[in-house]
Tab-separated table of all heavy atoms in Angstrom:
chain	number	residue	atom	x	y	z
Z	5	MET	N	5.685	-141.732	13.953
Z	5	MET	CA	5.291	-140.935	15.103
Z	5	MET	C	3.848	-140.462	14.892
Z	5	MET	O	3.487	-140.036	13.811
Z	5	MET	CB	6.232	-139.740	15.230
Z	5	MET	CG	5.840	-138.760	16.318
Z	5	MET	SD	6.951	-137.347	16.419
Z	5	MET	CE	7.834	-137.780	17.889
Z	6	SER	N	3.049	-140.529	15.912
Z	6	SER	CA	1.660	-140.087	15.808
Z	6	SER	C	1.551	-138.613	16.219
Z	6	SER	O	2.423	-138.057	16.854
Z	6	SER	CB	0.742	-140.954	16.664
Z	6	SER	OG	1.098	-140.815	18.026
Z	7	HIS	N	0.449	-138.007	15.839
Z	7	HIS	CA	0.213	-136.604	16.130
Z	7	HIS	C	-0.182	-136.400	17.593
Z	7	HIS	O	-1.045	-137.124	18.096
Z	7	HIS	CB	-0.883	-136.043	15.215
Z	7	HIS	CG	-0.456	-135.936	13.789
Z	7	HIS	ND1	-0.498	-137.009	12.929
Z	7	HIS	CD2	0.021	-134.912	13.089
Z	7	HIS	CE1	-0.070	-136.632	11.738
Z	7	HIS	NE2	0.270	-135.353	11.822
Z	8	LYS	N	0.407	-135.437	18.226
Z	8	LYS	CA	0.110	-135.115	19.608
Z	8	LYS	C	-1.147	-134.247	19.705
Z	8	LYS	O	-1.903	-134.331	20.668
Z	8	LYS	CB	1.303	-134.370	20.212
Z	8	LYS	CG	1.141	-133.963	21.649
Z	8	LYS	CD	2.405	-133.293	22.155
Z	8	LYS	CE	2.246	-132.803	23.576
Z	8	LYS	NZ	3.470	-132.132	24.054
Z	9	TYR	N	-1.379	-133.407	18.705
Z	9	TYR	CA	-2.509	-132.492	18.699
Z	9	TYR	C	-3.547	-132.958	17.704
Z	9	TYR	O	-3.257	-133.695	16.762
Z	9	TYR	CB	-2.031	-131.063	18.365
Z	9	TYR	CG	-0.986	-130.581	19.354
Z	9	TYR	CD1	0.359	-130.634	19.047
Z	9	TYR	CD2	-1.363	-130.129	20.604
Z	9	TYR	CE1	1.317	-130.222	19.968
Z	9	TYR	CE2	-0.407	-129.718	21.531
Z	9	TYR	CZ	0.932	-129.757	21.203
Z	9	TYR	OH	1.867	-129.371	22.105
Z	10	LYS	N	-4.785	-132.534	17.891
Z	10	LYS	CA	-5.903	-133.001	17.088
Z	10	LYS	C	-6.424	-131.917	16.146
Z	10	LYS	O	-6.215	-130.735	16.376
Z	10	LYS	CB	-7.030	-133.470	17.995
Z	10	LYS	CG	-6.667	-134.638	18.875
Z	10	LYS	CD	-7.833	-134.998	19.781
Z	10	LYS	CE	-7.645	-136.195	20.639
Z	10	LYS	NZ	-6.379	-136.606	21.043
Z	11	LEU	N	-7.135	-132.342	15.122
Z	11	LEU	CA	-7.778	-131.442	14.185
Z	11	LEU	C	-8.750	-130.512	14.927
Z	11	LEU	O	-9.453	-130.956	15.842
Z	11	LEU	CB	-8.533	-132.276	13.143
Z	11	LEU	CG	-9.041	-131.547	11.926
Z	11	LEU	CD1	-7.904	-130.955	11.123
Z	11	LEU	CD2	-9.833	-132.515	11.053
Z	12	ASN	N	-8.751	-129.254	14.578
Z	12	ASN	CA	-9.612	-128.194	15.157
Z	12	ASN	C	-9.189	-127.782	16.558
Z	12	ASN	O	-9.860	-126.977	17.175
Z	12	ASN	CB	-11.079	-128.594	15.138
Z	12	ASN	CG	-11.599	-128.822	13.742
Z	12	ASN	OD1	-11.241	-128.093	12.816
Z	12	ASN	ND2	-12.389	-129.855	13.563
Z	13	GLN	N	-8.112	-128.341	17.089
Z	13	GLN	CA	-7.636	-127.955	18.413
Z	13	GLN	C	-6.999	-126.570	18.356
Z	13	GLN	O	-6.335	-126.222	17.375
Z	13	GLN	CB	-6.615	-128.965	18.920
Z	13	GLN	CG	-6.151	-128.694	20.329
Z	13	GLN	CD	-5.236	-129.784	20.869
Z	13	GLN	OE1	-5.063	-130.834	20.268
Z	13	GLN	NE2	-4.624	-129.534	22.006
Z	14	LEU	N	-7.194	-125.778	19.380
Z	14	LEU	CA	-6.576	-124.471	19.484
Z	14	LEU	C	-5.210	-124.616	20.134
Z	14	LEU	O	-5.080	-125.292	21.147
Z	14	LEU	CB	-7.447	-123.497	20.273
Z	14	LEU	CG	-8.834	-123.223	19.691
Z	14	LEU	CD1	-9.622	-122.300	20.614
Z	14	LEU	CD2	-8.716	-122.634	18.292
Z	15	ILE	N	-4.224	-123.976	19.538
Z	15	ILE	CA	-2.840	-124.069	20.049
Z	15	ILE	C	-2.208	-122.675	19.986
Z	15	ILE	O	-2.766	-121.744	19.419
Z	15	ILE	CB	-2.002	-125.081	19.226
Z	15	ILE	CG1	-2.042	-124.808	17.702
Z	15	ILE	CG2	-2.498	-126.477	19.457
Z	15	ILE	CD1	-0.890	-124.033	17.205
Z	16	ARG	N	-1.014	-122.560	20.557
Z	16	ARG	CA	-0.201	-121.353	20.356
Z	16	ARG	C	1.174	-121.819	19.913
Z	16	ARG	O	1.540	-122.985	20.099
Z	16	ARG	CB	-0.120	-120.520	21.633
Z	16	ARG	CG	0.565	-121.153	22.776
Z	16	ARG	CD	0.576	-120.254	24.020
Z	16	ARG	NE	1.129	-120.968	25.136
Z	16	ARG	CZ	2.430	-121.119	25.379
Z	16	ARG	NH1	3.309	-120.569	24.576
Z	16	ARG	NH2	2.854	-121.816	26.403
Z	17	LEU	N	1.902	-120.950	19.279
Z	17	LEU	CA	3.235	-121.292	18.795
Z	17	LEU	C	4.271	-120.910	19.845
Z	17	LEU	O	4.120	-119.902	20.534
Z	17	LEU	CB	3.534	-120.578	17.477
Z	17	LEU	CG	2.592	-120.888	16.336
Z	17	LEU	CD1	3.025	-120.142	15.083
Z	17	LEU	CD2	2.523	-122.372	16.063
Z	18	THR	N	5.321	-121.701	19.924
Z	18	THR	CA	6.413	-121.376	20.826
Z	18	THR	C	7.308	-120.332	20.165
Z	18	THR	O	7.233	-120.117	18.964
Z	18	THR	CB	7.263	-122.626	21.149
Z	18	THR	OG1	7.853	-123.085	19.919
Z	18	THR	CG2	6.434	-123.719	21.784
Z	19	ASN	N	8.168	-119.693	20.928
Z	19	ASN	CA	9.065	-118.690	20.383
Z	19	ASN	C	10.387	-119.269	19.929
Z	19	ASN	O	11.300	-118.529	19.567
Z	19	ASN	CB	9.319	-117.594	21.435
Z	19	ASN	CG	8.064	-116.780	21.683
Z	19	ASN	OD1	7.281	-116.577	20.777
Z	19	ASN	ND2	7.901	-116.310	22.908
Z	20	THR	N	10.507	-120.583	19.913
Z	20	THR	CA	11.783	-121.210	19.558
Z	20	THR	C	12.144	-121.005	18.090
Z	20	THR	O	13.303	-121.109	17.736
Z	20	THR	CB	11.745	-122.710	19.852
Z	20	THR	OG1	10.644	-123.294	19.180
Z	20	THR	CG2	11.629	-122.974	21.333
Z	21	SER	N	11.168	-120.681	17.250
Z	21	SER	CA	11.490	-120.496	15.845
Z	21	SER	C	12.272	-119.218	15.596
Z	21	SER	O	12.898	-119.061	14.548
Z	21	SER	CB	10.220	-120.519	14.989
Z	21	SER	OG	9.342	-119.542	15.414
Z	22	ALA	N	12.303	-118.289	16.537
Z	22	ALA	CA	13.106	-117.069	16.394
Z	22	ALA	C	14.591	-117.424	16.287
Z	22	ALA	O	15.347	-116.743	15.600
Z	22	ALA	CB	12.852	-116.140	17.567
Z	23	ALA	N	14.990	-118.512	16.913
Z	23	ALA	CA	16.369	-118.966	16.842
Z	23	ALA	C	16.720	-119.482	15.442
Z	23	ALA	O	17.874	-119.555	15.066
Z	23	ALA	CB	16.624	-120.053	17.877
Z	24	LYS	N	15.708	-119.845	14.668
Z	24	LYS	CA	15.920	-120.354	13.303
Z	24	LYS	C	16.064	-119.219	12.292
Z	24	LYS	O	16.178	-119.455	11.108
Z	24	LYS	CB	14.764	-121.257	12.892
Z	24	LYS	CG	14.649	-122.502	13.711
Z	24	LYS	CD	15.627	-123.525	13.242
Z	24	LYS	CE	15.425	-124.821	13.981
Z	24	LYS	NZ	16.448	-125.778	13.689
Z	25	GLY	N	15.971	-117.955	12.732
Z	25	GLY	CA	16.173	-116.833	11.818
Z	25	GLY	C	14.919	-116.104	11.392
Z	25	GLY	O	14.961	-115.234	10.556
Z	26	TYR	N	13.778	-116.453	11.951
Z	26	TYR	CA	12.564	-115.697	11.651
Z	26	TYR	C	11.716	-115.555	12.906
Z	26	TYR	O	11.805	-116.352	13.813
Z	26	TYR	CB	11.771	-116.332	10.517
Z	26	TYR	CG	11.318	-117.748	10.759
Z	26	TYR	CD1	10.063	-118.031	11.298
Z	26	TYR	CD2	12.134	-118.833	10.458
Z	26	TYR	CE1	9.652	-119.327	11.515
Z	26	TYR	CE2	11.736	-120.128	10.667
Z	26	TYR	CZ	10.494	-120.365	11.204
Z	26	TYR	OH	10.092	-121.650	11.421
Z	27	LEU	N	10.925	-114.535	12.943
Z	27	LEU	CA	10.104	-114.221	14.095
Z	27	LEU	C	8.813	-115.050	14.065
Z	27	LEU	O	8.126	-115.081	13.051
Z	27	LEU	CB	9.762	-112.721	14.122
Z	27	LEU	CG	8.949	-112.209	15.295
Z	27	LEU	CD1	9.729	-112.438	16.598
Z	27	LEU	CD2	8.658	-110.739	15.117
Z	28	ALA	N	8.510	-115.676	15.150
Z	28	ALA	CA	7.285	-116.481	15.239
Z	28	ALA	C	6.068	-115.571	15.400
Z	28	ALA	O	6.131	-114.563	16.098
Z	28	ALA	CB	7.374	-117.444	16.416
Z	29	SER	N	4.970	-115.927	14.771
Z	29	SER	CA	3.717	-115.227	14.989
Z	29	SER	C	3.191	-115.637	16.349
Z	29	SER	O	3.266	-116.804	16.731
Z	29	SER	CB	2.700	-115.633	13.917
Z	29	SER	OG	3.176	-115.369	12.641
Z	30	THR	N	2.695	-114.677	17.087
Z	30	THR	CA	2.126	-115.002	18.376
Z	30	THR	C	0.609	-114.971	18.277
Z	30	THR	O	0.054	-114.386	17.360
Z	30	THR	CB	2.588	-113.999	19.447
Z	30	THR	OG1	2.209	-112.687	19.022
Z	30	THR	CG2	4.074	-114.061	19.649
Z	31	GLY	N	-0.054	-115.585	19.200
Z	31	GLY	CA	-1.498	-115.632	19.183
Z	31	GLY	C	-2.000	-117.055	19.154
Z	31	GLY	O	-1.234	-118.011	19.218
Z	32	ILE	N	-3.295	-117.179	19.026
Z	32	ILE	CA	-3.928	-118.490	19.056
Z	32	ILE	C	-4.215	-118.937	17.625
Z	32	ILE	O	-4.722	-118.167	16.811
Z	32	ILE	CB	-5.240	-118.433	19.885
Z	32	ILE	CG1	-4.891	-118.083	21.326
Z	32	ILE	CG2	-5.987	-119.753	19.819
Z	32	ILE	CD1	-6.077	-117.852	22.204
Z	33	PHE	N	-3.880	-120.187	17.332
Z	33	PHE	CA	-4.086	-120.783	16.023
Z	33	PHE	C	-4.968	-122.010	16.171
Z	33	PHE	O	-5.008	-122.638	17.223
Z	33	PHE	CB	-2.746	-121.225	15.414
Z	33	PHE	CG	-1.864	-120.093	14.970
Z	33	PHE	CD1	-1.150	-119.349	15.911
Z	33	PHE	CD2	-1.746	-119.775	13.638
Z	33	PHE	CE1	-0.342	-118.307	15.511
Z	33	PHE	CE2	-0.931	-118.736	13.221
Z	33	PHE	CZ	-0.217	-117.995	14.163
Z	34	GLU	N	-5.653	-122.375	15.083
Z	34	GLU	CA	-6.456	-123.591	15.042
Z	34	GLU	C	-5.809	-124.564	14.076
Z	34	GLU	O	-5.399	-124.182	12.978
Z	34	GLU	CB	-7.870	-123.283	14.559
Z	34	GLU	CG	-8.743	-124.491	14.469
Z	34	GLU	CD	-10.143	-124.178	13.920
Z	34	GLU	OE1	-10.433	-123.007	13.641
Z	34	GLU	OE2	-10.929	-125.125	13.796
Z	35	ILE	N	-5.717	-125.828	14.455
Z	35	ILE	CA	-5.165	-126.840	13.579
Z	35	ILE	C	-6.192	-127.204	12.529
Z	35	ILE	O	-7.324	-127.576	12.845
Z	35	ILE	CB	-4.748	-128.097	14.377
Z	35	ILE	CG1	-3.602	-127.726	15.333
Z	35	ILE	CG2	-4.359	-129.240	13.440
Z	35	ILE	CD1	-3.149	-128.822	16.233
Z	36	THR	N	-5.823	-127.032	11.244
Z	36	THR	CA	-6.726	-127.300	10.132
Z	36	THR	C	-6.416	-128.560	9.371
Z	36	THR	O	-7.243	-129.071	8.635
Z	36	THR	CB	-6.728	-126.125	9.137
Z	36	THR	OG1	-5.411	-125.941	8.625
Z	36	THR	CG2	-7.211	-124.848	9.802
Z	37	ARG	N	-5.176	-129.087	9.531
Z	37	ARG	CA	-4.794	-130.314	8.823
Z	37	ARG	C	-3.639	-130.999	9.535
Z	37	ARG	O	-2.698	-130.344	9.963
Z	37	ARG	CB	-4.384	-129.968	7.395
Z	37	ARG	CG	-4.048	-131.176	6.565
Z	37	ARG	CD	-3.768	-130.790	5.137
Z	37	ARG	NE	-3.245	-131.939	4.422
Z	37	ARG	CZ	-2.424	-131.867	3.407
Z	37	ARG	NH1	-2.024	-130.694	2.969
Z	37	ARG	NH2	-1.990	-132.948	2.824
Z	38	LEU	N	-3.730	-132.310	9.639
Z	38	LEU	CA	-2.630	-133.117	10.181
Z	38	LEU	C	-1.819	-133.581	8.982
Z	38	LEU	O	-2.335	-134.239	8.089
Z	38	LEU	CB	-3.173	-134.319	10.943
Z	38	LEU	CG	-4.170	-134.037	12.058
Z	38	LEU	CD1	-4.654	-135.357	12.676
Z	38	LEU	CD2	-3.606	-133.117	13.091
Z	39	MET	N	-0.542	-133.222	8.952
Z	39	MET	CA	0.323	-133.561	7.817
Z	39	MET	C	1.181	-134.766	8.164
Z	39	MET	O	1.442	-135.041	9.344
Z	39	MET	CB	1.146	-132.346	7.438
Z	39	MET	CG	0.268	-131.183	6.987
Z	39	MET	SD	1.131	-129.639	6.743
Z	39	MET	CE	2.268	-130.057	5.458
Z	40	PRO	N	1.641	-135.517	7.150
Z	40	PRO	CA	2.435	-136.716	7.418
Z	40	PRO	C	3.818	-136.386	7.971
Z	40	PRO	O	4.299	-135.260	7.871
Z	40	PRO	CB	2.539	-137.382	6.057
Z	40	PRO	CG	2.299	-136.297	5.076
Z	40	PRO	CD	1.412	-135.302	5.736
Z	41	ALA	N	4.447	-137.395	8.528
Z	41	ALA	CA	5.791	-137.247	9.088
Z	41	ALA	C	6.808	-137.071	7.958
Z	41	ALA	O	6.635	-137.598	6.879
Z	41	ALA	CB	6.151	-138.469	9.918
Z	42	ASP	N	7.871	-136.335	8.255
Z	42	ASP	CA	8.970	-136.176	7.287
Z	42	ASP	C	9.955	-137.339	7.428
Z	42	ASP	O	9.690	-138.306	8.128
Z	42	ASP	CB	9.639	-134.807	7.457
Z	42	ASP	CG	10.332	-134.634	8.807
Z	42	ASP	OD1	10.492	-135.625	9.559
Z	42	ASP	OD2	10.708	-133.487	9.125
Z	43	GLN	N	11.109	-137.241	6.785
Z	43	GLN	CA	12.100	-138.325	6.800
Z	43	GLN	C	12.617	-138.622	8.200
Z	43	GLN	O	13.074	-139.740	8.471
Z	43	GLN	CB	13.297	-137.974	5.908
Z	43	GLN	CG	12.970	-137.593	4.506
Z	43	GLN	CD	12.753	-136.092	4.333
Z	43	GLN	OE1	11.998	-135.482	5.083
Z	43	GLN	NE2	13.398	-135.513	3.355
Z	44	THR	N	12.607	-137.627	9.075
Z	44	THR	CA	13.109	-137.837	10.442
Z	44	THR	C	12.034	-138.343	11.398
Z	44	THR	O	12.312	-138.599	12.554
Z	44	THR	CB	13.699	-136.541	11.005
Z	44	THR	OG1	12.650	-135.572	11.138
Z	44	THR	CG2	14.793	-135.995	10.116
Z	45	GLY	N	10.793	-138.424	10.912
Z	45	GLY	CA	9.687	-138.871	11.759
Z	45	GLY	C	8.934	-137.755	12.443
Z	45	GLY	O	7.974	-137.997	13.164
Z	46	GLN	N	9.331	-136.506	12.203
Z	46	GLN	CA	8.676	-135.351	12.815
Z	46	GLN	C	7.398	-135.014	12.056
Z	46	GLN	O	7.422	-134.812	10.853
Z	46	GLN	CB	9.622	-134.139	12.812
Z	46	GLN	CG	9.041	-132.897	13.447
Z	46	GLN	CD	8.841	-133.018	14.937
Z	46	GLN	OE1	9.669	-133.576	15.650
Z	46	GLN	NE2	7.737	-132.511	15.420
Z	47	VAL	N	6.272	-134.957	12.759
Z	47	VAL	CA	5.010	-134.610	12.108
Z	47	VAL	C	4.819	-133.097	12.082
Z	47	VAL	O	5.454	-132.375	12.846
Z	47	VAL	CB	3.788	-135.290	12.807
Z	47	VAL	CG1	3.872	-136.791	12.685
Z	47	VAL	CG2	3.674	-134.858	14.244
Z	48	SER	N	3.962	-132.651	11.175
Z	48	SER	CA	3.671	-131.216	11.086
Z	48	SER	C	2.182	-131.005	10.917
Z	48	SER	O	1.409	-131.970	10.740
Z	48	SER	CB	4.472	-130.578	9.952
Z	48	SER	OG	4.200	-131.206	8.743
Z	49	TYR	N	1.786	-129.762	10.949
Z	49	TYR	CA	0.376	-129.380	10.935
Z	49	TYR	C	0.179	-128.130	10.075
Z	49	TYR	O	1.101	-127.321	9.928
Z	49	TYR	CB	-0.093	-129.006	12.363
Z	49	TYR	CG	0.087	-130.082	13.368
Z	49	TYR	CD1	1.300	-130.278	14.011
Z	49	TYR	CD2	-0.968	-130.917	13.739
Z	49	TYR	CE1	1.470	-131.266	14.968
Z	49	TYR	CE2	-0.799	-131.901	14.691
Z	49	TYR	CZ	0.412	-132.074	15.300
Z	49	TYR	OH	0.577	-133.046	16.239
Z	50	ARG	N	-1.011	-127.958	9.523
Z	50	ARG	CA	-1.431	-126.695	8.931
Z	50	ARG	C	-2.245	-126.016	10.018
Z	50	ARG	O	-3.138	-126.638	10.620
Z	50	ARG	CB	-2.299	-126.886	7.693
Z	50	ARG	CG	-1.566	-127.392	6.476
Z	50	ARG	CD	-0.549	-126.448	5.926
Z	50	ARG	NE	-1.118	-125.231	5.376
Z	50	ARG	CZ	-0.412	-124.284	4.769
Z	50	ARG	NH1	0.880	-124.420	4.623
Z	50	ARG	NH2	-0.995	-123.206	4.322
Z	51	VAL	N	-1.944	-124.770	10.295
Z	51	VAL	CA	-2.657	-124.018	11.319
Z	51	VAL	C	-3.111	-122.687	10.733
Z	51	VAL	O	-2.505	-122.182	9.775
Z	51	VAL	CB	-1.777	-123.784	12.565
Z	51	VAL	CG1	-1.402	-125.103	13.220
Z	51	VAL	CG2	-0.540	-122.960	12.248
Z	52	LYS	N	-4.190	-122.126	11.288
Z	52	LYS	CA	-4.648	-120.831	10.804
Z	52	LYS	C	-5.033	-119.941	11.978
Z	52	LYS	O	-5.384	-120.404	13.053
Z	52	LYS	CB	-5.817	-120.976	9.841
Z	52	LYS	CG	-7.123	-121.375	10.502
Z	52	LYS	CD	-8.261	-121.365	9.515
Z	52	LYS	CE	-9.555	-121.768	10.218
Z	52	LYS	NZ	-10.699	-121.709	9.336
Z	53	SER	N	-4.972	-118.652	11.694
Z	53	SER	CA	-5.358	-117.625	12.651
Z	53	SER	C	-5.983	-116.499	11.858
Z	53	SER	O	-5.512	-116.178	10.750
Z	53	SER	CB	-4.119	-117.124	13.396
Z	53	SER	OG	-4.397	-115.930	14.069
Z	54	SER	N	-6.990	-115.876	12.389
Z	54	SER	CA	-7.623	-114.764	11.676
Z	54	SER	C	-6.652	-113.585	11.548
Z	54	SER	O	-6.699	-112.836	10.588
Z	54	SER	CB	-8.912	-114.323	12.382
Z	54	SER	OG	-8.613	-113.941	13.707
Z	55	ALA	N	-5.738	-113.473	12.475
Z	55	ALA	CA	-4.787	-112.335	12.447
Z	55	ALA	C	-3.552	-112.627	11.578
Z	55	ALA	O	-2.965	-111.720	11.008
Z	55	ALA	CB	-4.344	-111.991	13.861
Z	56	PHE	N	-3.132	-113.896	11.465
Z	56	PHE	CA	-1.878	-114.228	10.805
Z	56	PHE	C	-2.033	-115.125	9.571
Z	56	PHE	O	-1.046	-115.480	8.947
Z	56	PHE	CB	-0.917	-114.890	11.799
Z	56	PHE	CG	-0.579	-113.992	12.947
Z	56	PHE	CD1	-1.126	-114.217	14.198
Z	56	PHE	CD2	0.283	-112.932	12.785
Z	56	PHE	CE1	-0.825	-113.393	15.266
Z	56	PHE	CE2	0.594	-112.100	13.852
Z	56	PHE	CZ	0.043	-112.333	15.087
Z	57	GLY	N	-3.248	-115.541	9.261
Z	57	GLY	CA	-3.442	-116.397	8.090
Z	57	GLY	C	-3.109	-117.840	8.379
Z	57	GLY	O	-3.122	-118.295	9.526
Z	58	GLU	N	-2.775	-118.595	7.320
Z	58	GLU	CA	-2.519	-120.020	7.440
Z	58	GLU	C	-1.049	-120.307	7.157
Z	58	GLU	O	-0.435	-119.654	6.325
Z	58	GLU	CB	-3.400	-120.798	6.454
Z	58	GLU	CG	-3.357	-122.276	6.670
Z	58	GLU	CD	-4.435	-123.003	5.886
Z	58	GLU	OE1	-5.432	-122.370	5.502
Z	58	GLU	OE2	-4.277	-124.212	5.681
Z	59	ARG	N	-0.505	-121.296	7.859
Z	59	ARG	CA	0.899	-121.691	7.675
Z	59	ARG	C	1.114	-123.109	8.124
Z	59	ARG	O	0.270	-123.674	8.820
Z	59	ARG	CB	1.822	-120.736	8.425
Z	59	ARG	CG	1.597	-120.753	9.934
Z	59	ARG	CD	2.402	-119.748	10.670
Z	59	ARG	NE	3.776	-120.185	10.751
Z	59	ARG	CZ	4.718	-119.557	11.444
Z	59	ARG	NH1	4.434	-118.462	12.085
Z	59	ARG	NH2	5.928	-120.014	11.485
Z	60	ALA	N	2.238	-123.668	7.757
Z	60	ALA	CA	2.633	-125.010	8.204
Z	60	ALA	C	3.616	-124.861	9.354
Z	60	ALA	O	4.480	-123.971	9.326
Z	60	ALA	CB	3.264	-125.787	7.074
Z	61	VAL	N	3.477	-125.707	10.364
Z	61	VAL	CA	4.402	-125.701	11.496
Z	61	VAL	C	4.727	-127.128	11.903
Z	61	VAL	O	3.925	-128.038	11.726
Z	61	VAL	CB	3.851	-124.935	12.723
Z	61	VAL	CG1	3.653	-123.476	12.421
Z	61	VAL	CG2	2.544	-125.542	13.216
Z	62	SER	N	5.913	-127.324	12.446
Z	62	SER	CA	6.310	-128.628	12.976
Z	62	SER	C	5.785	-128.763	14.397
Z	62	SER	O	5.531	-127.770	15.069
Z	62	SER	CB	7.834	-128.747	12.986
Z	62	SER	OG	8.327	-128.728	11.680
Z	63	GLU	N	5.660	-130.010	14.845
Z	63	GLU	CA	5.107	-130.238	16.180
Z	63	GLU	C	5.949	-129.576	17.277
Z	63	GLU	O	5.404	-129.107	18.254
Z	63	GLU	CB	4.975	-131.738	16.423
Z	63	GLU	CG	4.153	-132.060	17.647
Z	63	GLU	CD	3.754	-133.507	17.694
Z	63	GLU	OE1	4.530	-134.321	18.222
Z	63	GLU	OE2	2.647	-133.826	17.186
Z	64	TRP	N	7.278	-129.494	17.099
Z	64	TRP	CA	8.134	-128.899	18.109
Z	64	TRP	C	7.881	-127.391	18.258
Z	64	TRP	O	8.256	-126.791	19.261
Z	64	TRP	CB	9.610	-129.175	17.838
Z	64	TRP	CG	10.129	-128.550	16.565
Z	64	TRP	CD1	10.184	-129.136	15.321
Z	64	TRP	CD2	10.652	-127.243	16.401
Z	64	TRP	NE1	10.722	-128.264	14.415
Z	64	TRP	CE2	11.020	-127.086	15.044
Z	64	TRP	CE3	10.860	-126.162	17.270
Z	64	TRP	CZ2	11.559	-125.907	14.537
Z	64	TRP	CZ3	11.411	-124.994	16.751
Z	64	TRP	CH2	11.765	-124.872	15.399
Z	65	GLN	N	7.199	-126.771	17.314
Z	65	GLN	CA	6.888	-125.342	17.359
Z	65	GLN	C	5.572	-125.048	18.066
Z	65	GLN	O	5.206	-123.892	18.197
Z	65	GLN	CB	6.824	-124.764	15.953
Z	65	GLN	CG	8.126	-124.809	15.206
Z	65	GLN	CD	7.973	-124.347	13.786
Z	65	GLN	OE1	7.397	-125.038	12.965
Z	65	GLN	NE2	8.476	-123.162	13.518
Z	66	ILE	N	4.864	-126.080	18.507
Z	66	ILE	CA	3.530	-125.916	19.073
Z	66	ILE	C	3.530	-126.106	20.582
Z	66	ILE	O	4.181	-127.014	21.087
Z	66	ILE	CB	2.538	-126.916	18.430
Z	66	ILE	CG1	2.419	-126.629	16.940
Z	66	ILE	CG2	1.186	-126.884	19.125
Z	66	ILE	CD1	1.562	-127.640	16.212
Z	67	ALA	N	2.762	-125.282	21.255
Z	67	ALA	CA	2.476	-125.462	22.676
Z	67	ALA	C	0.960	-125.481	22.819
Z	67	ALA	O	0.264	-124.662	22.220
Z	67	ALA	CB	3.063	-124.313	23.485
Z	68	GLY	N	0.437	-126.445	23.557
Z	68	GLY	CA	-1.002	-126.520	23.769
Z	68	GLY	C	-1.484	-125.359	24.613
Z	68	GLY	O	-0.694	-124.669	25.251
Z	69	LEU	N	-2.764	-125.109	24.585
Z	69	LEU	CA	-3.343	-124.053	25.397
Z	69	LEU	C	-3.813	-124.572	26.742
Z	69	LEU	O	-4.374	-125.671	26.808
Z	69	LEU	CB	-4.557	-123.419	24.676
Z	69	LEU	CG	-4.266	-122.566	23.461
Z	69	LEU	CD1	-5.574	-122.039	22.897
Z	69	LEU	CD2	-3.357	-121.413	23.811
Z	70	ALA	N	-3.607	-123.793	27.764
Z	70	ALA	CA	-4.130	-124.153	29.084
Z	70	ALA	C	-5.660	-123.993	29.033
Z	70	ALA	O	-6.191	-123.233	28.237
Z	70	ALA	CB	-3.534	-123.237	30.140
Z	71	ALA	N	-6.347	-124.684	29.900
Z	71	ALA	CA	-7.816	-124.649	29.925
Z	71	ALA	C	-8.328	-123.217	30.142
Z	71	ALA	O	-9.421	-122.885	29.712
Z	71	ALA	CB	-8.333	-125.563	31.027
Z	72	ALA	N	-7.561	-122.360	30.761
Z	72	ALA	CA	-7.981	-120.965	31.015
Z	72	ALA	C	-8.171	-120.183	29.713
Z	72	ALA	O	-8.946	-119.255	29.665
Z	72	ALA	CB	-6.949	-120.264	31.897
Z	73	TYR	N	-7.460	-120.583	28.637
Z	73	TYR	CA	-7.591	-119.901	27.347
Z	73	TYR	C	-8.813	-120.333	26.586
Z	73	TYR	O	-9.214	-119.696	25.632
Z	73	TYR	CB	-6.354	-120.155	26.477
Z	73	TYR	CG	-5.129	-119.387	26.929
Z	73	TYR	CD1	-4.116	-120.024	27.617
Z	73	TYR	CD2	-5.008	-118.041	26.646
Z	73	TYR	CE1	-3.001	-119.322	28.038
Z	73	TYR	CE2	-3.896	-117.337	27.039
Z	73	TYR	CZ	-2.899	-117.980	27.728
Z	73	TYR	OH	-1.785	-117.293	28.136
Z	74	LEU	N	-9.353	-121.493	26.927
Z	74	LEU	CA	-10.480	-122.051	26.166
Z	74	LEU	C	-11.758	-121.557	26.707
Z	74	LEU	O	-12.472	-120.931	26.787
Z	74	LEU	CB	-10.459	-123.569	26.226
Z	74	LEU	CG	-9.151	-124.195	25.746
Z	74	LEU	CD1	-9.201	-125.692	25.954
Z	74	LEU	CD2	-8.893	-123.898	24.297
């Protein structure tokens, strides 16, 4: 599976991770690294935010930003 989002792209996280047992950070993040796919074919990313630091997220946790945010 190829990456849907690009390096240095600004994104926001979806709230679906709250269902997994932890609260998602809200706000705007920048993609800093494209990570390889796991065994199921799902790709992931390293993202950072000045307010929340850096973390790894799966593609299903990401929502792109509308042009109004840019």
